Every structure is written in C-alpha cells, then in structure tokens.
Amino acid sequence: MTVSPVSSRRWLKPVAITMIVVFVVAMIGYAYASPYIALNRLKQAADARDAATLNQYVDYPALRGSLKEEVGEMLQKRIGAEHSSNPLLLFGAVIGAALIGPLVDAYATPDGVAALLNGMPPRGEPGERPPATPGTPAAPGQDVPPPAAPAQAQPAPPPVASATAPESRPQTTAGYRGINEFVVTWRHGADEPRYAAILQRHGLFSWKLAAVELNDAN
C-alpha cells in the first residue's frame, strides 16, 4: 500500500506546526530564564575571581560610571544631613569626594564585583576597599600558618552569652524591572537600607552587570 503525496503532506503539516510551537515556547522560556542563568554564572565567576569569565558578564565602563554617580550622591546626602552641625565634616567630605576615583577603581574589579554580589556594597568611606569575600586569594608571599599543637584536654568553661549576635545574611530578591533590565536587591534588616545590582540585556539571551543603586533602591 502506498501513501499518496497529498496524504503525506497532510500528515507532515501538523507535525511541523507542533515542532515550531515547541521551539518557540522553548526559546521564550530560555529568554525569560536567561538573566537568572547569567546571574548564577556571574556569581560563580566573581567568587572564583575568574577575570576572563567576568569580562563576559560585567560591563565595566558602565559599572564604573554608575559607582561614581551613586557614591557621589551618597556623599552629597551625608553633607546635606550633617555639615550644619559639624563644620569640619564639609572639609572631610571634600577630601572624600576626591577619593571617589580610587574607590570606584577598587570596586570595578573582580574583588569589588564579588563584594557587591555577596551583600557588601561600598559605604562611601575615604580609602575604602572591597572587604574579604568567599574565594578571596591570599596576598602574594602570605604563608598559611601551620596548625596549632593540640592542647591538653581541660574542662570546658561554662557557656557565656554572646554580647553581639552574628550578622545575619542579607535578604535577596531578584526580578525583572523591564524587558531589558533585571534587578537583584539585598537588605540586611528591616531598618537597613537596600541596595541593588542591575543587569542589562545585551542581545536576546546575554546579560551584563552594568549598574548599582546604593541609595535605598526601590
């Protein structure tokens, strides 16, 4: 029994339509998930200080411009709120403004990106550098101290209540702010200001860290 060309075309048409629909749905799903995938790869590369991979996921010129603007605004708010009660603060703020460049240089680096993605943004302090984060390599020439000799067993002292509670991990949320902008927000506590890292779309599926919001981002 042979199948006529007409019957064959009738059978192939719905199959082709189904495959096209599946392909389109898969592409839409991947496009939606693409910033989450990029964020995960960005975080892994930052913690590993993988500069080559970070170059694929960080728009350093845009990030530098955003850091400069945000830290400058932070200093302006600090001056406006406090200089009237402390005349010397204005002089200190001027010095701090002159040090915005070095602060931006310090944070527009793999160490700085790692700090931003681990809940440790800059505070706008003169001479500030990114704090140590997971994956920070040891300084050149710095030896790892040998393990201490085991001490003789002694009765354990009674537990003492800690004077300060350990710092809690920041609450993190992530989501689209627009079709071409994806925002990750951190907050250490209900009374603490929020800050955000902003990924911008590059092409259909690619995203790059391009900006931060340090002044209580919404």
Side-chain angles (χ1 to χ4, degrees):
M1 180 178 179
T2 60
V3 180
S4 66
V6 175
S7 299
S8 177
R9 286 194 296 269
R10 289 177 179 175
W11 179 80
L12 289 175
K13 187 175 181 179
V15 173
I17 293 175
T18 301
M19 293 179 63
I20 293 172
V21 170
V22 171
F23 177 78
V24 171
V25 170
M27 289 297 98
I28 293 174
Y30 184 75
Y32 178 83
S34 59
Y36 295 94
I37 297 172
L39 177 62
N40 182 59
R41 293 175 180 172
L42 171 62
K43 179 69 164 56
Q44 291 178 350
D47 288 343
R49 306 304 189 273
D50 184 349
T53 302
L54 283 175
N55 286 336
Q56 302 175 25
Y57 291 99
V58 180
D59 185 345
Y60 280 109
L63 180 61
R64 289 173 60 87
S66 177
L67 282 166
K68 184 176 181 180
E69 181 178 348
E70 289 292 311
V71 174
E73 182 178 344
M74 187 184 300
L75 287 175
Q76 289 179 1
K77 288 184 176 180
R78 191 175 301 169
I79 294 170
E82 301 179 13
H83 83 276
S84 59
S85 59
N86 186 356
L88 294 179
L89 184 63
L90 182 59
F91 177 72
V94 171
I95 297 177
L99 296 176
I100 289 178
L103 187 151
V104 171
D105 291 340
Y107 271 86
T109 61
D111 284 341
V113 172
L116 291 172
L117 298 179
N118 280 282
M120 292 177 282
R123 301 181 302 275
E125 302 294 339
E128 182 180 358
R129 298 190 62 81
T133 59
T136 303
Q142 182 178 358
D143 297 327
V144 178
Q152 296 182 353
Q154 295 181 356
V160 179
S162 175
T164 58
E167 185 178 358
S168 60
R169 294 173 61 88
Q171 297 178 349
T172 308
T173 58
Y176 281 89
R177 185 182 284 178
I179 191 172
N180 296 320
E181 194 170 84
F182 187 83
V183 180
V184 189
T185 304
W186 290 264
R187 192 170 199 170
H188 283 276
D191 297 331
E192 295 292 328
R194 293 171 290 179
Y195 84 95
I198 301 171
L199 279 68
Q200 293 181 349
R201 187 188 297 274
H202 286 250
L204 185 58
F205 302 118
S206 299
W207 295 81
K208 288 188 177 184
L209 174 63
V212 293
E213 292 178 350
L214 305 178
N215 299 285
D216 197 10
N218 293 319

